[in-house]
Amino acid sequence: MSFAMRSPFPPISDVFLAPADPRPGSGPVSLGLRLGDGATHWADLVLPDGPERPSLQAAVYWLGARLSPALRGQQAAGLGDMAQRVRVAAGEASPAAEALATAAQWASLAALRADGRAADALRDAYGLSPVVTEPACFAEIADFAATAAGIDRLLALRPAAIGYRLTGERVAEAIGESAEHLQRFVRELTRRAAVLAPGEGYRPAVYLAFNGALGQLAGDPVRHVGKVLGHVVGLQAAAGEHQLFLEEPFLLDEPMAQAGNLHRLRDFIRRTPDSLKRARPTQLLAPGPPDPEAAAPYADTAAVEGLVIDGSGGDLHHALAAVARAQAGGLAIYWRLTSAATPRQTALGLFLAATTAASAVLVSADDGDWRTALALRLLSEAAAEG
């Protein structure tokens, strides 16, 4: 699949890192991309925490010194071409070179954000769906971070949905052998929304990221898909008038088997009497695969209503290609900004979601509500600008 586009970027003038001379293992590192029009665009380098960080950071700076002389005067044809030019300039295939290539893509995205016309060129190049409305903001919190006070603070911000992400391995203990603990949580969440916003008609959707939990309760989610369906019906009853989003209720090893069983579950959900009465139908979602080929089983079979793409600093070219493949199959797109997303990545992630006609952005609240507040403010500013 080709994603050729007339270059939206002026020639590269300089590439540099900040801070210019960091102490080993010190704080965040940024990549600056100065273009021929004189503008400099910045991105955050994504480096893992842990004992390997100092050596990886040293390798990034060593390779970074090669980039300006090698890239000066070159003009990238797009995001994928920008990354490939950085890889060639680095002269090696390594985690450090890949971190630089990815950061260069995100700095290029910042350049596109500064030029509204270039966003249209990006949509045309990848064959993305036209933009109709701004994406909604879903605030998401993991089980280990969720507290009543924290969820109340999120509700006070009035996001379109509250998400709850399961991460633990002791599933039956965490959500109940029949998901009864999770149903109680959903009922309490919807009750708190009504208490905190009396008379407003605020009915946030409930987003549940299962990490395969319902399949673990069922034992064999293929043979016992009816048990999974039973848990879904119970959660729908608990959600009441609030729309329900269900991500990855079970997890099978083979992608084709996963897509096929999700398709079965989706059809079963549609036909239940409770589903037929719901004003806003339950949405079944899957984590977005990292490339268009892996997205094909979901898109070709309409296995789910939508895919959730990681927007926290990965390879943009592959992500956009997967988005295009999913949208060609009629699937909705959701972007996830994890707790690793910096303020700059959050802003760029929202631009990316708007450019790709995403339905919503899932914004992590694992480390507090600041990212949700920032996302809502930026989305409201974009809406005001029209």
Side-chain angles (χ1 to χ4, degrees), residues 169-262:
E169 297 180 356
R170 302 168 70 173
V171 173
E173 180 179 328
I175 68 173
E177 293 185 359
S178 299
E180 68 272 14
H181 302 335
L182 188 57
Q183 291 175 29
R184 189 180 308 119
F185 170 82
V186 171
R187 283 193 294 271
E188 178 61 16
L189 175 61
T190 59
R191 187 190 72 82
R192 289 300 296 168
V195 168
L196 293 173
E200 292 186 19
Y202 174 54
R203 291 190 179 90
V206 178
Y207 189 106
L208 300 174
F210 288 104
N211 193 27
L214 296 187
Q216 293 182 51
L217 292 182
D220 182 343
V222 177
R223 180 179 299 176
H224 301 302
V225 69
K227 291 184 178 180
V228 178
L229 177 64
H231 299 321
V232 171
V233 171
L235 290 166
Q236 286 187 156
E241 296 180 354
H242 297 250
Q243 189 174 22
L244 201 58
F245 290 79
L246 308 177
E247 180 189 339
E248 201 173 42
F250 50 78
L251 181 58
L252 302 176
D253 292 334
E254 289 294 326
M256 287 298 297
Q258 175 77 357
N261 210 44
L262 284 170

Side-chain angles (χ1 to χ4, degrees), residues 9 12 15-17 30-33 41-47 56 59-61 63-64 67 71 76 78-110 313-318 345:
F9 308 116
I12 297 169
V15 181
F16 44 89
L17 301 177
S30 302
L31 179 142
L33 182 67
H41 305 280
W42 291 93
D44 303 303
L45 265 96
V46 179
L47 302 176
L56 180 57
V60 161
Y61 273 82
L63 291 177
L67 296 186
L71 295 175
L79 297 173
D81 185 46
M82 178 67 78
Q84 188 57 29
R85 288 172 186 270
V86 171
R87 294 183 185 107
V88 171
E92 63 178 57
S94 67
E98 197 58 33
L100 288 165
T102 300
Q105 283 187 321
W106 283 83
S108 301
L109 184 68
D315 187 293
L316 282 174
H317 174 67
H318 289 157
Q345 287 171 334

Side-chain angles (χ1 to χ4, degrees), residues 15-384:
V15 181
F16 44 89
L17 301 177
D21 187 21
R23 293 186 300 275
S26 60
V29 179
S30 302
L31 179 142
L33 182 67
R34 182 171 293 158
L35 301 178
D37 60 1
T40 301
H41 305 280
W42 291 93
D44 303 303
L45 265 96
V46 179
L47 302 176
D49 292 324
E52 72 277 12
R53 182 183 174 93
S55 60
L56 180 57
Q57 181 172 297
V60 161
Y61 273 82
W62 186 75
L63 291 177
R66 301 181 180 181
L67 296 186
S68 273
L71 295 175
R72 189 172 292 122
Q74 294 190 30
Q75 188 170 15
L79 297 173
D81 185 46
M82 178 67 78
Q84 188 57 29
R85 288 172 186 270
V86 171
R87 294 183 185 107
V88 171
E92 63 178 57
S94 67
E98 197 58 33
L100 288 165
T102 300
Q105 283 187 321
W106 283 83
S108 301
L109 184 68
L112 292 175
R113 185 187 180 210
D115 180 357
R117 295 169 300 173
D120 292 331
L122 188 67
R123 278 190 289 269
D124 291 343
Y126 287 91
L128 301 171
S129 296
V131 175
V132 179
T133 61
E134 291 291 327
C137 177
F138 290 5
E140 182 182 50
I141 193 164
D143 48 11
F144 62 81
T147 64
I151 290 174
D152 279 357
R153 285 193 294 271
L154 293 176
L155 287 168
L157 295 171
R158 306 292 192 271
I162 297 291
Y164 184 69
R165 192 176 72 258
L166 294 167
T167 63
E169 297 180 356
R170 302 168 70 173
V171 173
E173 180 179 328
I175 68 173
E177 293 185 359
S178 299
E180 68 272 14
H181 302 335
L182 188 57
Q183 291 175 29
R184 189 180 308 119
F185 170 82
V186 171
R187 283 193 294 271
E188 178 61 16
L189 175 61
T190 59
R191 187 190 72 82
R192 289 300 296 168
V195 168
L196 293 173
E200 292 186 19
Y202 174 54
R203 291 190 179 90
V206 178
Y207 189 106
L208 300 174
F210 288 104
N211 193 27
L214 296 187
Q216 293 182 51
L217 292 182
D220 182 343
V222 177
R223 180 179 299 176
H224 301 302
V225 69
K227 291 184 178 180
V228 178
L229 177 64
H231 299 321
V232 171
V233 171
L235 290 166
Q236 286 187 156
E241 296 180 354
H242 297 250
Q243 189 174 22
L244 201 58
F245 290 79
L246 308 177
E247 180 189 339
E248 201 173 42
F250 50 78
L251 181 58
L252 302 176
D253 292 334
E254 289 294 326
M256 287 298 297
Q258 175 77 357
N261 210 44
L262 284 170
H263 191 283
R264 289 176 67 208
L265 179 61
R266 182 186 179 192
D267 283 347
F268 287 145
I269 292 172
R270 285 174 170 175
R271 296 200 296 264
T272 64
D274 180 72
S275 296
L276 294 173
K277 294 184 295 184
R278 297 181 71 79
R280 293 182 292 175
T282 294
Q283 302 291 291
L284 190 61
L285 308 178
D291 58 71
E293 289 75 20
Y298 298 96
D300 292 345
T301 64
V304 290
E305 273 84 13
L307 294 183
V308 186
I309 310 295
D310 183 3
S312 297
D315 187 293
L316 282 174
H317 174 67
H318 289 157
L320 288 170
V323 167
R325 185 67 183 84
Q327 288 181 335
L331 303 187
I333 296 299
Y334 300 78
W335 288 87
R336 171 172 277 126
L337 299 174
T338 70
S339 58
T342 65
R344 177 161 36 221
Q345 287 171 334
T346 299
L348 287 174
L350 293 170
F351 167 73
L352 192 60
T355 301
T356 57
S359 297
V361 183
L362 287 124
V363 182
S364 174
D366 292 353
D367 53 349
D369 58 11
W370 67 267
R371 198 176 287 105
T372 303
L374 174 61
L376 287 167
R377 177 162 59 87
L378 293 176
L379 289 171
S380 66
E381 290 173 359

